[in-house]
Amino acid sequence: GESVGLHLPTLSVQEGDNSIINCAYSNSASDYFIWYKQESGKGPQFIIDIRSNMDKRQGQRVTVLLNKTVKHLSLQIAATQPGDSAVYFCAENNQAGTALIFGKGTTLSVSS
Amino acid sequence: DSGVTQTPKHLITATGQRVTLRCSPRSGDLSVYWYQQSLDQGLQFLIQYYNGEERAKGNILERFSAQQFPDLHSELNLSSLELGDSALYFCASSVRGAKETQYFGPGTRLLVL
């Protein structure tokens, strides 16, 4: 079946550290992946996306890495700040390409 | 602010009732998606509309229905509500399809008592 999961439900880091959030996906035919950040009481907020013809994509303080061989996706956040504290979800398009399948999320806690 | 709006923000109702949730997509977006987020199930795709037509269905119950109007706003109708329907309901929109960035609204928190 289709599923997207995360390796760790929680991650605690110190302010200024780099954070790495991991995600494993099961559908080898998926060709679009996306990371969202969800703060308490708010809707998911787009962070960065990547298509399967790329291995790496960088944004502002964030980098997404895609390893299609092992079906693994990661989000790297540089110089993590308290404002980065949230739940992070990875998602992939479903087999039909008509919807996003979300993982269960990793809660990132940043202490100062 | 994603540009996607949802009303109401909160809704409290009783079992057996019917409610309607409303969503306005970002300007220029033709696709609208509905998702349900509960503590034990995470974010679950319910249904997608594209330019007024239903395009894809996910884990949507028969008691739930949706539509997209000519002005592209969408409504999600939930009927015969049960306690287990209590959840956050999100609307998202994209320009065309699901292989593009979907921008989410702030959600409607539904509590069924």
Side-chain angles (χ1 to χ4, degrees), chain A residues 29 31-32 34 36 38 41-46 49 51 89 93-104, chain B residues 33 35 37 40-45 48 55-57 88 90 97-107 109:
Chain A
D31 55 4
Y32 180 68
I34 191 166
Y36 285 95
Q38 186 175 22
K42 296 185 178 180
Q45 175 188 352
F46 169 75
D49 58 2
R51 298 193 183 274
F89 294 94
N93 62 282
N94 64 356
Q95 286 188 340
T98 54
L100 290 175
I101 306 297
F102 282 81
K104 290 207 180 292
Chain B
Y33 311 80
Y35 291 86
Q37 186 176 38
D40 57 343
Q41 292 293 324
L43 267 162
Q44 298 282 315
F45 168 68
Q48 180 203 1
R55 174 167 276 191
K57 267 186 173 180
L88 275 164
F90 289 105
K99 295 189 183 183
E100 303 168 335
T101 304
Q102 291 182 29
Y103 292 92
F104 281 75
R109 184 177 293 277

